[in-house]
Amino acid sequence: GNLEDYEETVKKAKEAWKVWADIPAPKRGEIVRQIGDALRQKIKVLGSLVSLEMGKIFVEGVGEVQEYVDVCDYAVGLSRMIGGPILPSERPGHALIEQWNPVGLVGVITAFNFPVAVYGWNSAIAMICGNACLWKGAPTTSLVSVAVTKIIAKVLEDNKLPGAICSLVCGGADIGTAMARDERMDLLSFTGSTKVGKQVALMVQERFGRSLLELGGNNAIIVFEDADLNLVIPSALFAAVGTAGQRCTTARRLFLHESIHDEVVAKLAKAYAQVRIGDPWDSDTLYGPLHTKEAVKMFLDAVEQAKQQGGSVVCGGKVINRPGNYVEPTIVTGLPHNAPIVHTETFAPILYVLKFKEEEEVFAWNNEVKQGLSSSIFTKDLGRIFRWLGPKGSDCGIVNVNIPTSGAEIGGAFGGEKHTGGGRESGSDSWKLYMRRST
């Protein structure tokens, strides 16, 4: 789409909002329920399309559509529960009410790595709150964006509602910039890199607009000497290698207590050697290609920098000689916790394994990076678990115990602190971000 298409779409979406805002919230929930059902019916073909266009393995593609389905179910229940309290007024014969209203038009800019789920988290919740949506998916996954929008539009139109309630403009940075600068965009939800997110935030802030930011992650797993290694190895493998290292919640740093460092590295390298690499559509494949040629270059640059900064490549580190953007899942040891490359989020399957001695230092190392998305510890010590969850523990938005960094549940608010942007999507009270409060 070009800027003329964008202009026409915003006008249509704003008109459609007038219709949508008049519909009672539980009825909006019923429409969202039907969208979830329509996605259920096409889950395998949509999962295939995600796999084809993004490169993640088929089960992950299907799983991503399932997340949209699940968040629709969640939103249906929420449509009968959102609201504010009636508070005691200090003035006799007066009522004090907290009223929540939709913001209006929600712009949603999503990234290539989750081309369905992230839009689902936003649109299902935004819709039951009474907002219209305008979506710009990643330019490299536009087929997925078009397919999902067609499914939603059919449900809306079958219910005699304008399809423009959920609008789409495919395009590049020109469309994204227009959305960020557009005063008609009442909330802009942006998922992507910290670098671009910062530009978006400044453009939106310049017009006193509202933004919801889901940006980078440099996530750590910390393994203490009392950890169950039978849990640690598959968890670290899944967190570092899943989606070929292209999740914002991917584990990029693995802190191992010095007493178990060598043992875990040996076991993990053995597990890495067994990862089945291949065509994402093949049901045996666990690990597919990177999304683009640029990603392969970033991977190679990062491996080179890691070596220059004193790291040793235990396994991987090379491009795989086969068609497509395949690289070897990589483990690097021997770097200090504060090496520049360790503090850089490379969107590729490189895991930096680092040694530590004490709880206090490793908690500080977890928190010393700019991003604050996901984090995890493996331990059986109950006191330590509660310290980790407490004010001097992890500073991340997602804090795990004895599970990987890379999972999330739709029932909890998803997002992170610091350079991750501070946004929250999906469950809990994140619906409030899509509404405005009047007292």
Side-chain angles (χ1 to χ4, degrees):
N2 57 30
L3 290 169
E4 290 76 46
D5 299 318
Y6 168 75
E7 189 54 40
E8 185 190 354
T9 308
V10 174
K11 284 178 180 153
K12 289 265 168 65
K14 281 285 191 190
E15 282 302 310
W17 176 74
K18 292 175 186 168
V19 178
W20 188 238
D22 281 339
I23 293 167
K27 175 70 178 143
R28 295 195 294 254
E30 163 57 22
I31 304 296
V32 171
R33 185 192 67 75
Q34 290 177 34
I35 290 169
D37 280 349
L39 290 162
R40 264 187 189 92
Q41 285 160 22
K42 299 227 167 49
I43 194 161
K44 287 206 164 136
V45 70
L46 263 181
S48 276
L49 186 57
V50 170
S51 213
L52 175 72
E53 204 174 22
M54 185 270 155
K56 63 173 65 171
I57 59 174
F58 175 66
V59 287
E60 285 191 0
V62 170
E64 193 184 329
V65 184
Q66 185 64 50
E67 270 196 42
Y68 193 167
V69 170
D70 290 345
V71 85
C72 284
D73 286 351
Y74 180 88
V76 177
L78 197 60
S79 70
R80 293 181 180 272
M81 291 159 64
I82 53 171
I86 298 177
L87 299 157
S89 171
E90 64 189 37
R91 292 170 288 188
H94 284 67
L96 185 60
I97 297 170
E98 212 173 74
Q99 166 88 23
W100 290 84
N101 285 307
V103 292
L105 180 57
V106 174
V108 185
I109 299 177
T110 60
F112 75 86
N113 60 336
F114 281 88
V116 177
V118 172
Y119 177 66
W121 297 347
N122 280 278
S123 75
I125 307 290
M127 283 179 81
I128 61 109
C129 290
N131 301 297
C133 295
L134 195 154
W135 182 18
K136 186 191 98 65
T140 50
T141 56
S142 49
L143 294 178
V144 171
S145 306
V146 171
V148 170
T149 300
K150 293 252 186 193
I151 292 167
I152 298 168
K154 183 170 189 323
V155 172
L156 289 165
E157 285 158 9
D158 285 351
N159 282 277
K160 312 255 183 303
L161 289 163
I165 290 165
C166 289
S167 294
L168 171 73
V169 181
C170 292
D174 56 338
I175 305 295
T177 302
M179 290 171 79
R181 294 209 162 118
D182 195 339
E183 299 229 342
R184 297 166 297 180
M185 216 54 59
D186 299 293
L187 167 68
L188 186 61
S189 173
F190 173 86
T191 302
S193 69
T194 297
K195 185 175 164 236
V196 179
K198 189 175 184 182
Q199 296 168 348
V200 168
L202 290 169
M203 284 188 263
V204 175
Q205 186 54 47
E206 201 168 36
R207 61 178 175 87
F208 289 113
R210 273 204 210 189
S211 60
L212 190 170
L213 303 170
E214 297 284 356
L215 312 175
N218 192 344
N219 315 296
I221 294 176
I222 301 169
V223 184
F224 287 90
E225 63 274 27
D226 65 340
D228 179 347
L229 296 191
N230 292 325
L231 285 178
V232 170
I233 303 304
S235 295
L237 178 82
F238 172 71
V241 169
T243 327
Q246 298 169 110
R247 290 177 177 229
C248 47
T249 53
T250 291
R252 309 202 180 276
R253 298 175 296 151
L254 177 61
F255 291 106
L256 301 175
H257 188 266
E258 58 184 10
S259 64
I260 54 164
H261 176 276
D262 295 355
E263 184 190 353
V264 172
V265 170
K267 286 185 168 169
L268 199 54
K270 202 173 161 191
Y272 265 54
Q274 292 164 22
V275 172
R276 295 190 300 275
I277 299 168
D279 184 330
W281 272 355
D282 186 335
S283 60
D284 280 345
T285 301
L286 288 176
Y287 174 96
L290 291 179
H291 186 55
T292 58
K293 298 246 180 302
E294 291 78 54
V296 176
K297 187 181 178 309
M298 282 190 324
F299 164 84
L300 288 171
D301 287 350
V303 171
E304 199 46 51
Q305 284 177 52
K307 286 181 191 165
Q308 283 167 10
Q309 289 167 28
S312 305
V313 176
V314 173
C315 63
K318 296 194 280 293
V319 171
I320 298 172
N321 184 18
R322 60 173 291 159
N325 306 315
Y326 286 84
V327 300
E328 295 173 344
T330 302
I331 299 173
V332 177
T333 58
L335 285 165
H337 66 94
N338 56 355
I341 193 64
V342 174
H343 280 232
T344 306
E345 182 196 23
T346 304
F347 226 58
I350 304 171
L351 182 66
Y352 303 108
V353 182
L354 312 147
K355 267 186 204 176
F356 76 92
K357 284 187 174 70
E358 303 292 334
E359 176 190 304
E360 199 175 325
E361 71 175 358
V362 80
F363 282 8
W365 293 350
N366 175 77
N367 297 349
E368 74 183 354
V369 295
K370 293 267 198 262
Q371 307 86 340
L373 181 52
S374 189
S375 54
S376 182
I377 60 166
F378 283 78
T379 183
K380 296 193 186 92
D381 182 331
L382 208 54
R384 179 180 287 143
I385 289 167
F386 279 95
R387 289 191 293 277
W388 172 243
L389 301 174
K392 293 179 180 173
S394 171
D395 67 355
C396 294
I398 300 168
V399 186
N400 300 288
V401 176
N402 293 331
I403 56 167
T405 54
S406 58
E409 288 197 30
I410 60 126
F414 178 92
E417 302 297 326
K418 304 187 304 195
H419 286 214
T420 302
R424 292 295 184 277
E425 290 169 343
S426 197
S428 184
D429 63 348
S430 62
W431 60 270
K432 291 180 175 178
L433 295 165
Y434 302 90
M435 303 196 86
R436 56 182 181 82
R437 183 197 319 230
S438 312
T439 304

